Amino acid sequence: MNNPLLLDNLRCIPDWPIKGVNFRDVTTLFKNPEALKEITREMCALYADKGITKIVGIESRGFVMSSAVATSLGAGVVLCRKPGKLPCETVQESYAKEYGIDTIEIHKDAISESDVVLLHDDLLATGGTMKAACDLVKKFNPKKIYCNFIIELASEFPESRSRFDQDIEITSLLKF
């Protein structure tokens, strides 16, 4: 955890999008081939022996690593998107955000009961979106659910992990 290569290539933007927030920009990790390889290597090492059959990428930065890791693990990719972006019948989950309600969805035929699912997003802050994604995936009754993040803002949001059910293993590559 807290790999120096990743830390050295992570851009932090102070006071964005509002004053007092240090925005962690993963796009600088994605554009660096060595950092991208390292993220892929670390994630694959974490999940190589878990029997992952599907990786759910959370819109939109979660799509990048879910695809790379799925290829290495021999798993499929499921897109978790905002409403109206997926062309076939979907299953939805709504959740409260600071200023209202948001909804995410995946295709109704994306996950089966025999799947072992890894959900991936770039950042764990409050955990609202990932908690909703977990609740959405649970509707499919998969064998097991795991969650992974590139970055976890543990010092700013120490309660975020407590939002998740005890049986969901959560990992992150960088912890602040």
Side-chain angles (χ1 to χ4, degrees), residues 33-70:
E34 293 307 313
L36 186 60
K37 281 186 218 174
E38 185 61 19
I39 293 168
T40 305
R41 188 196 65 71
E42 286 190 23
M43 285 183 63
C44 287
L46 286 169
Y47 296 101
D49 64 348
K50 305 289 187 189
I52 304 296
T53 58
K54 299 279 176 57
I55 301 181
V56 176
I58 311 298
E59 187 167 345
S60 66
R61 290 179 299 269
F63 295 167
V64 176
M65 294 315 306
S66 62
S67 298
V69 174

Side-chain angles (χ1 to χ4, degrees), residues 14-103:
D15 298 322
W16 196 86
I18 60 171
K19 188 167 180 59
V21 172
N22 283 323
F23 183 80
R24 305 299 201 279
D25 181 11
V26 295
T27 64
T28 53
L29 296 173
F30 297 158
K31 76 176 185 176
N32 179 303
E34 293 307 313
L36 186 60
K37 281 186 218 174
E38 185 61 19
I39 293 168
T40 305
R41 188 196 65 71
E42 286 190 23
M43 285 183 63
C44 287
L46 286 169
Y47 296 101
D49 64 348
K50 305 289 187 189
I52 304 296
T53 58
K54 299 279 176 57
I55 301 181
V56 176
I58 311 298
E59 187 167 345
S60 66
R61 290 179 299 269
F63 295 167
V64 176
M65 294 315 306
S66 62
S67 298
V69 174
T71 299
S72 294
L73 295 181
V77 173
V78 174
L79 302 181
C80 183
R81 304 217 51 195
K82 295 176 181 173
K85 302 289 185 181
L86 295 171
C88 294
E89 191 174 351
T90 62
V91 178
Q92 295 185 336
E93 185 72 26
S94 294
Y95 60 103
K97 291 179 72 172
E98 189 175 359
Y99 298 107
I101 302 293
D102 212 346
T103 302

